[in-house]
C-alpha cells in the first residue's frame, strides 16, 4: 500500500525555506493590516488607502483621457484597414507603435505610462476599499479594471523602451498551451463566452444609455453630443469584443488555437462579412466616438 510522504520531505531544502519565508511575510502583512487586533483591516490602513486614492485621482483622470485617445487611434487604424491598408495592427499595440514612431513619441509614451499606471493603481485601491465596505460587485469590477489597465501599462512601457509586442502571436501561444488538454480547451471556451458577455454588456450600456449615470453633464446640445458618442462608442466596442469572444469559442470547438485572436484579428474577421469594409469602417468610427466620450468622462464623470 502506498503511503503519502509528509509535505516537508516532498520539498527540497531551498523550496522549504522559500515556503517558510513566504509564510513569515504573509504573517507580517496580516499583522500590519490588522494593527488594532480585531481581525479586520486596520482603520489606519483604510485611511491611508483613501488618502492615496484621492492623491492619485487627478493623474488617474489624465490616464483615462489617454485611454480614450488610444481608442481614437485604434478607430483610425480600423478605418485605415477598412479602406485597404493592411500594414500594422488595429489594436493597442498598433496605436502605441504609431505614437512611438512620431518625433518625441517615446517620451510621450513614458509620460502616458505613468498616467496609465496611476489609473491602474487607482482602480486597484478603489476595488480593495469597496471590498472592505462589502461592495463585492463594484470591488471586483474595479480590481478587474486595474488588472486590464496594468496590462496596458506593460505594453506602453514596452514601446516606450523601444520594443514591440505581437498580441496575436501571444494570444495563439497562450491558447495553444491551454488547449493541450480537455480542461484547458473548456477554459478557452469559457473565456470566449465571458468576453462575448462583456461585449453584450457594452452594447446594452450604450443602447440603453446606462453610461449617463457616469457623467455629470447638464441637458442641452453638449449632452446630446455625448449621448451620440456614448451610444455609438459602446455599441462598436461591444461588437468588437463580441467577435473576439466568438473567435476564442471557435478555436475551442475546432480545437485550432490559430482561430483565436485579439482585437486586430476580430476587426479583420469583419472584412469577411458581406459589406465588411463598410461595417469595419463604422466600427472604427465607433471606436473613435468611444474615445471622445472617454475624454469627456475623464474630465466630467466618474472613473
Amino acid at each position: 500500500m502506498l503511503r503519502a510522504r509528509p509535505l516537508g520531505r516532498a520539498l527540497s531544502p531551498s523550496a522549504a525555506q522559500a515556503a517558510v519565508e513566504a509564510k513569515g511575510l504573509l504573517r507580517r502583512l496580516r499583522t500590519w493590516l490588522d494593527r488594532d487586533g480585531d481581525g479586520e483591516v486596520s482603520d489606519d490602513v483604510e485611511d491611508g488607502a483613501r488618502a492615496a486614492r484621492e492623491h492619485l485621482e487627478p493623474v488617474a483622470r489624465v490616464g483615462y483621457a489617454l485611454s480614450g485617445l488610444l481608442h481614437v487611434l485604434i478607430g483610425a487604424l480600423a478605418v485605415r484597414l477598412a479602406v485597404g491598408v493592411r500594414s500594422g495592427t488595429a489594436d493597442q499595440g498598433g496605436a502605441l507603435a504609431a505614437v512611438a514612431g512620431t518625433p518625441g513619441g517615446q517620451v510621450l509614451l513614458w509620460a502616458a505610462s505613468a498616467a496609465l499606471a496611476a489609473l491602474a493603481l487607482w482602480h486597484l485601491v478603489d476595488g480593495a476599499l469597496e471590498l472592505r465596505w462589502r461592495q463585492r460587485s463594484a470591488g471586483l469590477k474595479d480590481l478587474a479594471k486595474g488588472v486590464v489597465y496594468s496590462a496596458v501599462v506593460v505594453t506602453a512601457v514596452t514601446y516606450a523602451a523601444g520594443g514591440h509586442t505581437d498580441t496575436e502571436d501571444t494570444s495563439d501561444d497562450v491558447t495553444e498551451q491551454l488547449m493541450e488538454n480537455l480542461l484547458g480547451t473548456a477554459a478557452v471556451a469559457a473565456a470566449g463566452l465571458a468576453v462575448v458577455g462583456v461585449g453584450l454588456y457594452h452594447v446594452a450600456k450604450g443602447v440603453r444609455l446606462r453610461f449617463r449615470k457616469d457623467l455629470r453633464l447638464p441637458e442641452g446640445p453638449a449632452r446630446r453630443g455625448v449621448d451620440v458618442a456614448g451610444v455609438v462608442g459602446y455599441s462598436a466596442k461591444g461588437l468588437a469584443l463580441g467577435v473576439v469572444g466568438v473567435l476564442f469559442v471557435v478555436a475551442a470547438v475546432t480545437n485550432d488555437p490559430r482561430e483565436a485572436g485579439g482585437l486586430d484579428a476580430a476587426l479583420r474577421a469583419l472584412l469577411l462579412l458581406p459589406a465588411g469594409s463598410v461595417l469595419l469602417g463604422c466600427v472604427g468610427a465607433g471606436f473613435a466616438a468611444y474615445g471622445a466620450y472617454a475624454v469627456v468622462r475623464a474630465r466630467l464623470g466618474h472613473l
Side-chain angles (χ1 to χ4, degrees):
M1 181 177 180
L2 296 176
R3 295 182 180 179
R5 290 186 298 175
L7 182 60
R9 294 181 183 177
L11 297 174
S12 66
S14 59
Q17 180 62 29
V20 171
E21 292 177 357
K23 289 180 181 178
L25 179 61
L26 289 173
R27 191 181 304 110
R28 289 193 294 272
L29 179 60
R30 282 196 297 266
T31 302
W32 182 76
L33 291 174
D34 183 21
R35 293 180 181 177
D36 48 16
D38 63 355
E40 296 186 357
V41 175
S42 169
D43 291 337
D44 292 340
V45 176
E46 181 177 337
D47 291 342
R50 285 173 181 266
R53 180 178 178 275
E54 291 176 4
H55 284 92
L56 284 169
E57 184 169 351
V59 186
R61 288 188 177 277
V62 175
Y64 196 85
L66 291 172
S67 174
L69 292 177
L70 280 178
H71 279 82
V72 173
L73 286 174
I74 292 171
L77 291 171
V79 171
R80 189 166 169 264
L81 181 63
V83 297
V85 181
R86 301 291 187 260
S87 60
T89 58
D91 55 14
Q92 284 180 348
L96 292 170
V99 175
T102 61
Q106 288 182 308
V107 175
L108 289 174
L109 285 180
W110 280 117
S113 298
L116 289 167
L119 177 60
L121 185 56
W122 187 91
H123 276 294
L124 292 173
V125 172
D126 202 42
L129 286 173
E130 286 166 338
L131 290 178
R132 157 79 164 158
W133 300 329
R134 303 294 191 270
Q135 298 173 5
R136 182 170 299 177
S137 178
L140 292 176
K141 183 178 178 180
D142 267 309
L143 289 177
K145 287 182 178 179
V147 172
V148 170
Y149 285 122
S150 296
V152 178
V153 172
V154 172
T155 306
V157 168
T158 300
Y159 280 94
H164 70 279
T165 62
D166 192 327
T167 54
E168 301 304 323
D169 285 346
T170 301
S171 175
D172 288 348
D173 292 343
V174 173
T175 306
E176 185 175 3
Q177 291 176 7
L178 285 174
M179 292 175 59
E180 289 180 352
N181 55 65
L182 182 59
L183 183 61
T185 301
V188 170
L193 291 174
V195 175
V196 170
V198 173
L200 291 174
Y201 168 80
H202 275 72
V203 173
K205 186 171 183 177
V207 172
R208 298 183 180 182
L209 300 176
R210 290 179 180 172
F211 56 84
R212 280 184 169 181
K213 68 181 188 312
D214 298 326
L215 294 170
R216 298 187 298 269
L217 280 178
E219 297 296 331
R223 184 61 188 239
R224 287 193 290 274
V226 172
D227 280 348
V228 171
V231 171
V232 175
Y234 270 102
S235 299
K237 186 173 182 179
L239 174 61
L241 288 174
V243 176
V244 172
V246 169
L247 290 178
F248 274 89
V249 173
V250 170
V253 172
T254 61
N255 199 32
D256 185 358
R258 292 172 299 178
E259 294 291 340
L263 179 59
D264 180 67
L267 295 178
R268 290 177 187 273
L270 294 177
L271 289 172
L272 303 177
L273 300 176
S277 296
V278 175
L279 178 59
L280 179 57
C282 292
V283 170
F287 263 82
Y290 180 89
Y293 162 81
V295 172
V296 173
R297 180 174 170 181
R299 176 66 180 85
L300 300 173
H302 306 292
L303 294 181

